[in-house]
Amino acid sequence: MGDRAGVTGMQRAELARRTGCNLETVRYYEKVGLLPEPPRTASGYRSYDSTHERRLRFVLRARELGFSLDEIRELLCLVDERDRPCAEVRDVAAVHLAVVRAKIADLKRMERVLKDVVAQCGDGTLPECPLIETLFQERNAI
Amino acid sequence: MGDRAGVTGMQRAELARRTGCNLETVRYYEKVGLLPEPPRTASGYRSYDSTHERRLRFVLRARELGFSLDEIRELLCLVDERDRPCAEVRDVAAVHLAVVRAKIADLKRMERVLKDVVAQCGDGTLPECPLIETLFQERNAI
DNA sequence: TGTGCAGTCTGTAGCAACTACAGGGTCAAG
DNA sequence: CTTGACCCTGTAGTTGCTACAGACTGCACA
């Protein structure tokens, strides 16, 4: 409970711990404009609160879903505008979904070829390795 | 035919053109030790032949299959050793296959979530965007 | 009051795997 | 003899972090 509501005065390490984010990455996200610059204590230490935590969780979650930092920046703009961003957000996600699917297709092609050649190698006692032979063949023959 | 047998005295641009490799990448592969340093003309121009082309094709093809440059270096060592590398080559490929499969699994998880939230957004007229809400939720809830 | 240690700050350098210049040299055609 | 296309080198940029070095702060314990 106390863990969820209105926390203030967090230092970087605590924010990182609470979100599971790497310590340095927090500062990096601030540098590239994904997190707002937090207020500072008298001695210059960053002082985070729940809004920072919420925003960082958003970024981390979007990264888990494979969004690039540019895409996340775009999403955050839409979130901030609050105008009726649902259609635009959906479009960003749909584009990203297409990219993810293309990557899956790529990897599946790789997987198929690799599985085949590994199988052809059998117990590895062949004099001419079929895998090596495959790799010396033309590209685009996949 | 003339395109396949014993070509000599190729310049970088021709090697790149023949293999479909980016011009700068040829030099990069040489720098990181994936291609041997070719002989030079009197004025210092690189002069490639079919063996370079063959090796470059190997590298490019392995890259297409997602092997890292380190893995390719390892494969090329095994190719050069020629001792009976089939078993070792198969092991390198098997490890890589596992990595590829893990990536596919990752991307499929992303795809599932993205597909769901995009569908939830429907025609994009909802006041509270379900995609945004999802992104603000806990991590590891995928 | 001192001292030690953990935390924070900044800037910068490193990783993969390229890609793209800038600023010069070379070479063949017209 | 000039023009343009090629070649050379080294270095800087890309993406998304991660890890340091060197200095400062802040708190507990003796």
Side-chain angles (χ1 to χ4, degrees), chain B residues 113-129:
Chain B
V113 178
L114 286 168
K115 192 181 49 140
D116 287 353
V117 290
V118 167
Q120 276 177 50
C121 282
D123 57 359
T125 56
L126 282 82
E128 289 295 304
C129 179

Side-chain angles (χ1 to χ4, degrees), chain B:
Chain B
M1 222 190 246
D3 224 46
R4 291 224 70 39
V7 185
T8 327
M10 269 185 286
Q11 287 191 294
R12 199 148 54 98
E14 196 187 341
L15 181 62
R17 188 189 53 72
R18 288 169 66 100
T19 55
C21 183
N22 179 295
L23 186 64
E24 302 287 331
T25 306
V26 176
R27 197 159 63 95
Y28 172 72
Y29 284 160
E30 183 183 321
K31 196 175 78 180
V32 299
L34 289 175
L35 295 180
E37 292 188 26
R40 304 285 183 123
T41 66
S43 60
Y45 286 18
R46 289 172 181 83
S47 179
Y48 298 100
D49 63 29
S50 310
T51 64
H52 297 100
E53 184 177 334
R54 182 171 151 84
R55 197 156 186 111
L56 178 54
R57 283 188 196 282
F58 184 101
V59 173
L60 292 172
R61 175 92 160 138
R63 287 296 297 140
E64 276 191 347
L65 290 173
F67 285 96
S68 70
L69 298 191
D70 272 349
E71 286 170 323
I72 295 173
R73 238 183 301 270
E74 202 176 340
L75 287 173
L76 284 170
C77 278
L78 294 174
V79 170
D80 290 343
E81 279 177 11
R82 270 271 157 257
D83 199 7
R84 46 160 192 74
C86 191
E88 288 113 282
V89 168
R90 191 201 47 195
D91 290 348
V92 173
V95 167
H96 178 58
L97 178 54
V99 172
V100 167
R101 283 179 168 151
K103 280 187 191 162
I104 291 174
D106 268 5
L107 286 167
K108 277 189 172 170
R109 260 189 296 115
M110 294 181 198
E111 191 212 355
R112 197 153 12 93
V113 178
L114 286 168
K115 192 181 49 140
D116 287 353
V117 290
V118 167
Q120 276 177 50
C121 282
D123 57 359
T125 56
L126 282 82
E128 289 295 304
C129 179
L131 178 35
I132 296 285
E133 300 309 313
T134 301
L135 286 172
F136 274 125
Q137 276 159 35
E138 289 290 330
R139 297 169 75 199
N140 304 327
I142 309 186

Side-chain angles (χ1 to χ4, degrees), chain A residues 11-13 27 40 44-46:
Chain A
Q11 289 193 308
R12 200 147 55 96
R27 195 159 64 95
R40 303 285 184 125
Y45 286 20
R46 289 172 181 82

